[in-house]
Amino acid sequence: VCWIAAQAADVMRFAVDRQQDMSSLSHRSGHKGLKGRQVQLDAFGWKNCAPPNKEFAVIQSFDLTPDPIYIPGKVTVNMIGTFNKTLDSPLQISLVLEKDVFGAWIKVPCIDKIGSCTYPDICQLLSGVTCPPAFVKQKVPCKCPFKQGNYTLTSAIVDIPIYDDVPVGDYRASANLSINDQFIACYAFNFTLAD
């Protein structure tokens, strides 16, 4: 979800509270941005935030290769998941993204629809998306409606573009999904961007 949302923006910028620019904070802490070079995404981890019996969209396994992932570059996705009910509009996602700055987790604010944002209807955002060939071939939905059922995605190759002004460092994120205030699912992710 994070990568899909990120691909919808031309520029990815970070800032923290009190009008401080995250790139300047990262510069002072010895970190650099990604602009103009290849970096790696490492230490990727994920988990369901809620018990599976309380979620309507459950991920049983989720694997990204190679390890580390090079950005820009290609990543191979393998995933097994279940939709316990059909999910359709308005499917809201509330995303919280945090960066480790000097040992403290700083919330990245929502700027140009990137960061700690609430997307009122991800179905609307995905409506114009062309599903990657592997999704189509394996009959795995990449946009609404996400029909009830069990899905397996194997060896799906996805391009990861590069964005300007993204500081390297440690990140964590959580994504809460809901429809009309009804809880659907929660996922947590962590990763490191490094030179």
Side-chain angles (χ1 to χ4, degrees):
V1 170
C2 299
W3 289 116
I4 292 171
Q7 289 174 9
D10 294 325
V11 177
M12 188 175 198
R13 296 175 302 170
F14 289 87
V16 294
D17 293 338
R18 298 183 186 169
Q19 307 299 317
Q20 292 177 327
D21 180 60
M22 182 65 80
S23 61
S24 65
L25 277 176
S26 65
H27 177 72
R28 289 198 298 269
S29 63
H31 294 305
K32 300 176 183 177
L34 307 185
K35 191 172 185 177
R37 68 182 191 280
Q38 189 176 56
V39 295
Q40 63 186 32
L41 186 149
D42 203 359
F44 176 80
W46 70 276
K47 66 178 181 178
N48 291 302
C49 305
N53 63 343
K54 297 196 180 289
E55 294 186 307
F56 291 101
V58 181
I59 298 175
Q60 281 93 25
S61 70
F62 184 69
D63 180 57
L64 301 177
T65 55
D67 183 15
I69 296 165
Y70 291 94
I71 303 172
K74 295 183 183 296
V75 62
T76 300
V77 181
N78 293 284
M79 182 173 66
I80 299 173
T82 300
F83 294 113
N84 293 320
K85 64 182 270 186
T86 296
L87 304 179
D88 208 344
S89 184
L91 179 56
Q92 177 175 293
I93 295 182
S94 295
L95 181 68
V96 174
L97 178 66
E98 297 175 302
K99 184 182 187 297
D100 184 351
V101 179
F102 303 116
W105 288 104
I106 304 297
K107 185 177 179 181
V108 177
C110 184
I111 299 174
D112 295 335
K113 298 183 181 179
I114 302 296
S116 299
C117 304
T118 295
Y119 305 93
D121 190 4
I122 195 72
C123 294
Q124 187 177 33
L125 291 176
L126 296 175
S127 62
V129 169
T130 299
C131 294
F135 284 74
V136 175
K137 184 177 180 180
Q138 297 176 50
K139 298 181 180 178
V140 175
C142 79
K143 56 185 176 181
C144 300
F146 297 98
K147 293 184 179 178
Q148 181 176 352
N150 299 313
Y151 294 94
T152 299
L153 184 65
T154 304
S155 300
I157 297 174
V158 178
D159 285 312
I160 300 180
I162 195 165
Y163 297 94
D164 292 345
D165 302 324
V166 181
V168 296
D170 296 325
Y171 290 86
R172 68 183 183 186
S174 63
N176 284 280
L177 286 70
S178 62
I179 296 177
N180 296 324
D181 295 325
Q182 180 186 18
F183 174 79
I184 299 297
C186 174
Y187 309 110
F189 304 91
N190 58 271
F191 58 93
T192 298
L193 293 176
D195 288 318

